[in-house]
Amino acid sequence: METLALVVRLEARSGKEREIEHLFETLRENQAGYTWYALRSGPSSFTMVAVFSDESDRAALLTGSFAQSLLLRGSELLVEAPRIELADIVAVSAGQK
């Protein structure tokens, strides 16, 4: 059961929004054993929420290819440094169909 989360907020530079989307697509191709969602909440605002069952998976995301891409290209792609929040999941509700 997932008990840990990671929330990453990104604000893309004007014209770089598609490149941020591409980074998320790359993460999908290289994904390990965790669930994540990439959200676009405004013209250039993105939020990623990932959930984990253990700390090693969360740490892997923070040190993996997605994080490395943000470190290498952050100043080119982003208005400001990514805002990263570590969180604990306190409740879950999965809808039934």
Side-chain angles (χ1 to χ4, degrees), residues 11 17 40-46:
E11 188 67 33
E17 297 84 0
R40 190 171 190 166
S41 56
S44 59
S45 299
F46 297 85

Side-chain angles (χ1 to χ4, degrees), residues 17-19 22-23 25 27 29 52 57 64 71-73 76 78 81 86 88-89 93:
E17 297 84 0
R18 181 66 192 118
E19 292 183 58
H22 179 72
L23 284 177
E25 291 165 7
L27 178 62
E29 295 166 5
F52 310 92
D57 283 340
L71 285 174
L72 291 173
R73 300 189 61 208
E76 169 195 347
L78 304 173
L86 304 179
D88 295 321
I89 297 172
S93 174

